[in-house]
Each structure stands twice: as structure tokens, then as C-alpha cells.
């Protein structure tokens, strides 16, 4: 009997659950139908003619911005000198051109929708004055409640709000940094001296065309290495981190360290221009940057002669301050183009071995004749692959730093002879220093260090030729 009662109770509970489920489904269906109907209740409640607007204002994060438009020029209503980036107010007018709500309804209590203390207050003057209030977001649709004071509450998409999420300094128009990708020269003046870098491709100032930046001096051009390329790339990618003053006075410039800059950088570049005949020509241009004092957020900087002061990246500024020949010169061991080498000698353990590049004709099984490069050692042909292993080992070798120490005895030395107009003879040597390091000699200069293991690998490659 008890079991029967339990079954009856369970059946009753199940019936109730079924009824509740049906009711919920009915409610959801009605809500979905209401939502569908709401899609058909969209209404355009505000249109703004951008050409007729003379003033535009908005409040965001407790900051009120008021702009005026005079003959298509935007200005801060409180400070005409403030440079306004017109793309921001133009974007605002684009969304105000035709404001459509997904739904409109009447309500006497605007506080329920956050319109008594709106998140955004937008004012438009275009013959008549209009105030658009943006309140809370709907928990159901995620849209914003809006009002223009006509007794209706409107539901609007976030697209209307997004263009107004800026304060005055967010819409400041910074000065344009030109495209300096075609950089040809850099002059740097600091307290430690002046530096003039020039970009030269296919020049005769280096034994290798791998170097394109050179230190230009009165009577010479000295090749610079990867550090110069890095510096040039950093200057080419120069950008303003932020603007700290748009109308700096002489007193302001002194505060920022720009009355007597710590560094002045002149960048020379070419920029394409079109003339009346639609012909593109490359015009020579210059851009001069002055760098002042330091702050936790970067270094103060400005375009020479400008009253606008910015912050730039600290790493870039410090690389400019520290630039000199020693920091920019090559750190490669030897970047010879081996196709220019006609012969060479190496000396190992007191013995000198001479190599000559030559050619020979090779006939395949079909009778076709091709010419191949070969190497002769002391007049006898040797395995070209083994010779190339030696040359490639030298080319790929990297220095571990610089040194002023005196090198010890020679481990191995090379003398390369080239079919070129300049740098016809290159002398390369590897000298003992300590158990982990050797010193490199390149045309009499011994300033680079290399890992001793790299020199051991080179000698092993050389021995492979001698032992064949």
C-alpha cells in the first residue's frame, strides 16, 4: 500500500513537471515571438545633417569635450590652438547621420534606464540644438537605452556609442612622421660628437657587398655592420608614444630638455612625388628630430622648430646617444664572396699550402660537355666539396665580442687573392688567446674574438683536405 501511495505521489510530481515545462516553453515561445516582432518595430528617431553641424559635444568618463566646426575645420571650443584630429568628429557624425533604434517605448521613470545620470551626453548644434542621452545597457539585448527628450526611450546598438569613447587628448592630431623607408643617410649630433652615416650599395668601400651602411669621414668611408642596419630600421619606424604639449613655450622646452637637445638626428630620404605630367620622381627630403630629457615613460622629443612635444621609446633614444664607430662597426669574422677568390694559401703548423681555382670540362654519358669549377692544391686537383667546407666554415663563423688584448701564436692563417678592383688581397688569421677563445686577425687588425671550438672545427675541415 505504501508503495502504491509513493507511485501516486511520483506520478503527481511528474505531471506537475510536465505542466511547468509546457508553461516555460510557452513563455519562451512568446518571448521569441515578441523578439521577432521587436525586429519589426525599428524606428529612426534622430537624423543629423553633417554639413549643417556647427558644434558637437560629448561627455565621457566625466570629461566634457566641446568642438566647433567652422568652414569644415574642427576646433576645441575652449582652446582654438588645440589640434583636433578631424577623423574623430567625422566618425561621430557618421553614426549620427541616421540613428535607428530597435525598439521605442514610453516611460515616465528615466532613472530606471540610467538616463537620469547618463553614461554619455551628446550635444549637436545644427540650426537647432539636440541632446542625446545614453544610459544603461539592457540586460536582455545588450543594447543601450537612449533618449532625446521626446518622452520615448530607445534601444540603440553599441555602434552608436563607440565613436564617443574618447577624451580631448585622445583626439589630438599629432604631427605626421614621413615614410622614410628609402633612407639614404643619418647625421647624429650628441655631446660626445658628430656622426655621419651614409647608405651605399655596390660600393667599393668594403671587401664585401654585405655592408651597405658606412661611416662617412673626411677622407674615408668605413663599413658598418648589423648594428647600423638595426639603428636605421629603428629610425625608419619612428613613432610618437604620446604628445605631452601641443603649444610649448620656450620655458616648456627648457623643462623638457629641448632648448638644448641631448641629440639632434637628421634623416635623409627620398619620397616619390607625382608632377603634372603624371611622372613619378624621387624627391630628396630631410627630417630632423631633437631629443631632450628623460622621463619614466620615455624621452621627450620634437620635430626641429615645432612647438609640439612628444615622448619616444627609450630604447631608440639610448641607441642614438650611444652610437659611435665602435658600437656600429662590423662584428663578422669574414664575409668574402668566394666567387671573387681566384687563389689562396693557408699556413698550418709551419707549412703553407697553395690553392688555385680552375675549371675543367666534364663529359656525361650522353656526350654533353659542361664546365665545372675545381680547386688545385699545389697543382693537384682536390675534392672541391672539402675546400668549400673550409670556406663555408669561415663565412659562418661569428665573433664572440671585441678585445684589445694582444694575440698569441698563430693557429692557422689564410691569404686570399681576388679578381677585383679593390681589396684584391685579404689576410685572415686565427691566434691563440686562452683555452676558450682565439683572436681574429683581419688585414692586420686584431679586435675580434671567436670561440676556440670554432677554430678547432676550421682546422679539422682543413685537415680533411690534407688527409684525402
Amino acid at each position: 500500500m505504501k508503495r502504491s501511495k509513493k507511485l501516486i505521489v511520483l506520478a503527481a510530481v511528474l505531471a506537475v513537471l510536465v505542466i511547468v515545462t509546457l508553461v516555460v516553453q510557452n513563455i519562451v515561445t512568446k518571448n521569441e515571438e515578441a523578439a521577432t516582432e521587436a525586429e519589426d518595430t525599428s524606428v529612426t528617431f534622430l537624423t543629423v545633417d553633417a554639413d549643417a553641424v556647427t558644434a558637437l559635444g560629448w561627455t565621457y568618463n566625466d570629461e566634457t569635450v566641446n568642438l566647433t566646426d567652422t568652414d569644415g575645420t574642427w576646433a576645441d571650443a575652449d582652446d582654438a590652438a588645440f589640434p583636433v584630429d578631424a577623423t574623430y568628429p567625422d566618425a561621430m557624425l557618421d553614426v549620427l547621420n541616421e540613428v535607428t533604434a530597435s525598439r521605442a517605448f514610453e516611460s515616465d521613470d528615466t532613472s530606471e534606464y540610467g538616463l537620469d545620470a547618463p553614461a554619455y551626453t551628446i550635444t549637436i548644434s545644427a540650426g537647432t540644438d539636440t541632446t542625446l542621452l545614453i544610459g544603461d545597457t539592457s540586460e536582455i539585448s545588450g543594447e543601450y537605452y537612449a533618449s532625446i527628450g521626446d518622452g520615448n526611450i530607445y534601444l540603440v546598438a553599441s555602434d552608436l556609442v563607440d565613436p564617443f569613447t574618447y577624451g580631448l587628448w585622445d583626439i589630438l592630431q599629432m604631427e605626421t612622421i614621413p615614410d622614410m623607408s628609402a633612407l639614404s643617410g643619418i647625421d647624429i649630433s650628441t655631446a660626445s660628437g658628430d656622426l655621419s652615416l651614409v647608405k651605399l650599395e655596390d660600393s667599393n668601400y668594403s671587401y664585401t657587398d654585405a655592408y651597405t651602411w658606412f661611416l662617412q669621414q673626411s677622407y674615408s668611408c668605413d663599413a658598418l655592420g648589423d648594428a647600423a642596419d638595426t639603428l636605421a630600421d629603428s629610425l625608419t619606424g619612428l613613432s610618437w608614444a604620446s604628445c605631452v604639449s601641443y603649444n610649448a613655450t620656450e620655458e616648456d622646452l627648457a623643462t623638457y630638455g629641448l632648448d638644448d637637445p641631448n641629440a639632434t638626428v637628421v634623416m635623409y630620404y627620398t619620397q616619390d612625388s607625382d608632377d603634372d605630367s603624371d611622372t613619378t620622381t624621387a624627391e630628396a627630403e630631410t627630417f630632423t628630430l631633437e631629443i631632450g630629457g628623460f622621463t619614466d615613460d620615455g624621452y621627450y622629443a620634437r620635430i626641429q622648430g615645432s612647438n609640439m612635444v612628444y615622448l619616444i621609446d627609450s630604447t631608440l633614444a639610448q641607441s642614438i646617444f650611444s652610437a659611435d664607430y665602435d658600437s656600429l662597426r662590423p662584428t663578422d669574422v669574414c664575409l668574402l664572396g668566394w666567387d671573387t677568390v681566384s687563389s689562396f694559401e693557408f699556413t698550418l703548423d709551419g707549412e703553407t699550402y697553395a690553392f688555385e681555382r680552375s675549371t675543367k670540362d666534364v663529359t656525361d654519358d650522353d656526350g654533353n660537355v659542361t664546365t665545372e669549377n675545381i680547386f688545385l692544391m699545389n697543382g693537384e686537383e682536390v675534392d672541391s666539396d672539402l675546400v668549400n667546407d673550409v670556406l663555408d666554415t669561415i663565412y659562418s663563423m661569428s665573433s664572440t665580442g671585441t678585445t684589445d688584448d694582444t694575440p698569441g701564436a698563430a693557429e692557422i692563417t689564410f691569404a686570399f687573392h681576388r679578381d677585383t678592383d679593390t681589396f684584391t688581397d685579404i689576410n685572415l688569421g686565427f691566434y691563440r688567446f686562452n683555452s676558450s677563445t682565439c683572436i681574429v686577425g683581419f688585414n692586420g687588425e686584431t679586435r675580434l674574438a671567436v670561440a676556440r671550438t670554432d677554430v678547432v672545427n676550421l682546422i679539422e675541415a682543413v685537415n680533411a683536405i690534407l688527409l684525402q
Side-chain angles (χ1 to χ4, degrees):
M1 186 67 180
K2 290 182 178 179
R3 183 177 179 183
S4 298
K5 286 183 177 180
K6 287 182 178 179
L7 290 173
I8 292 170
V9 171
L10 289 172
V13 171
L14 180 61
V16 171
L17 289 174
V18 170
I19 293 170
V20 169
T21 301
L22 291 172
V23 170
V24 170
Q25 287 179 342
N26 187 45
I27 292 172
V28 171
T29 300
K30 287 183 177 180
N31 285 342
E32 290 178 350
E33 291 174 352
T36 301
E37 292 173 0
E39 291 176 3
D40 298 328
T41 60
S42 61
V43 57
T44 298
F45 66 96
L46 176 63
T47 57
V48 175
D49 180 4
D51 293 333
V53 172
T54 57
L56 176 65
W58 68 95
T59 299
Y60 170 68
N61 278 351
D62 297 326
E63 180 186 358
T64 298
V65 181
N66 289 302
L67 304 181
T68 60
D69 184 354
T70 304
D71 297 329
T73 300
W74 289 101
D76 177 20
D78 300 319
D79 183 0
F82 187 91
V84 175
D85 185 343
T87 59
Y88 289 93
D90 288 347
M92 295 171 184
L93 292 184
D94 282 343
V95 298
L96 293 173
N97 178 56
E98 188 174 282
V99 184
T100 300
S102 63
R103 189 161 63 94
F105 57 90
E106 295 182 357
S107 176
D108 295 330
D109 186 7
T110 59
S111 63
E112 184 178 349
Y113 307 100
L115 292 167
D116 56 332
Y120 302 86
T121 299
I122 301 168
T123 57
I124 310 112
S125 296
T128 59
D129 294 337
T130 302
T131 299
L132 172 62
L133 304 179
I134 309 292
D136 295 336
T137 56
S138 166
E139 294 181 0
I140 298 173
S141 67
E143 296 173 293
Y144 284 87
Y145 296 110
S147 169
I148 55 172
D150 61 356
N152 291 321
I153 306 296
Y154 300 95
L155 276 171
V156 297
S158 61
D159 293 349
L160 173 64
V161 174
D162 293 341
F164 294 91
T165 56
Y166 301 98
L168 181 62
W169 277 79
D170 295 324
I171 66 168
L172 177 142
Q173 177 66 65
M174 298 187 197
E175 293 166 300
T176 300
I177 298 174
D179 176 8
M180 295 182 288
S181 54
L183 193 64
S184 59
I186 306 167
D187 288 344
I188 299 175
S189 296
T190 64
S192 58
D194 298 335
L195 209 63
S196 183
L197 314 183
V198 59
K199 188 173 186 179
L200 301 171
E201 297 189 18
D202 300 323
S203 71
N204 290 322
Y205 293 116
S206 171
Y207 73 94
T208 173
D209 58 9
Y211 303 134
T212 58
W213 282 97
F214 295 83
L215 175 65
Q216 192 170 39
Q217 302 187 80
S218 299
Y219 302 104
S220 67
C221 277
D222 298 319
L224 303 176
D226 291 343
D229 293 305
T230 300
L231 176 61
D233 289 344
S234 297
L235 287 170
T236 299
L238 172 70
S239 63
W240 309 128
S242 63
C243 179
V244 297
S245 177
Y246 58 88
N247 195 18
T249 63
E250 290 296 326
E251 184 178 352
D252 294 332
L253 294 175
T255 301
Y256 299 130
L258 289 166
D259 58 331
D260 184 17
N262 289 323
T264 299
V265 185
V266 183
M267 286 159 270
Y268 303 89
Y269 62 99
T270 56
Q271 198 167 58
D272 290 343
S273 63
D274 296 327
D275 58 24
D276 295 337
S277 62
D278 294 329
T279 301
T280 301
T281 58
E283 298 286 343
E285 305 283 354
T286 61
F287 178 83
T288 303
L289 177 73
E290 294 180 340
I291 304 174
F294 171 76
T295 176
D296 290 341
D297 297 320
Y299 278 83
Y300 297 113
R302 70 165 180 166
I303 299 174
Q304 189 176 64
S306 172
N307 290 330
M308 298 189 74
V309 178
Y310 307 92
L311 287 175
I312 62 169
D313 179 66
S314 295
T315 302
L316 170 59
Q318 289 166 4
S319 68
I320 292 170
F321 297 146
S322 62
D324 58 18
Y325 179 55
D326 283 337
S327 67
L328 299 177
R329 67 195 302 178
T331 58
D332 308 289
V333 172
C334 182
L335 297 182
L336 267 181
W338 301 123
D339 56 336
T340 67
V341 175
S342 57
S343 63
F344 68 92
E345 303 93 48
F346 66 75
T347 299
L348 177 65
D349 296 333
E351 292 290 332
T352 299
Y353 304 86
F355 290 77
E356 182 181 356
R357 186 190 296 273
S358 186
T359 60
K360 71 175 182 179
D361 292 335
V362 178
T363 305
D364 63 17
D365 294 339
D366 297 326
N368 298 315
V369 179
T370 58
T371 300
E372 291 184 358
N373 289 319
I374 62 171
F375 286 97
L376 304 176
M377 183 180 75
N378 298 333
E380 297 289 332
E381 182 179 351
V382 295
D383 189 333
S384 294
D385 289 339
L386 295 178
V387 177
N388 286 324
D389 284 344
V390 171
L391 301 180
D392 291 343
T393 299
I394 294 173
Y395 193 92
S396 61
M397 198 177 289
S398 298
S399 72
T400 58
T402 59
T403 179
D404 293 326
D405 292 308
T406 302
E411 298 275 11
I412 187 170
T413 62
F414 294 83
F416 297 101
H417 312 292
R418 309 167 71 209
D419 292 327
T420 55
D421 295 330
T422 58
F423 299 95
T424 54
D425 295 306
I426 300 292
N427 296 308
L428 180 67
F430 299 91
Y431 302 91
R432 296 173 189 169
F433 181 59
N434 58 36
S435 61
S436 62
T437 304
C438 288
I439 294 178
V440 180
F442 188 91
N443 280 359
E445 183 182 74
T446 54
R447 71 174 198 90
L448 294 181
V450 295
R452 186 172 186 80
T453 54
D454 288 345
V455 178
V456 170
N457 291 336
L458 174 61
I459 292 174
E460 287 179 351
V462 167
N463 281 326
I465 300 173
L466 301 180
L467 295 173
Q468 71 168 340

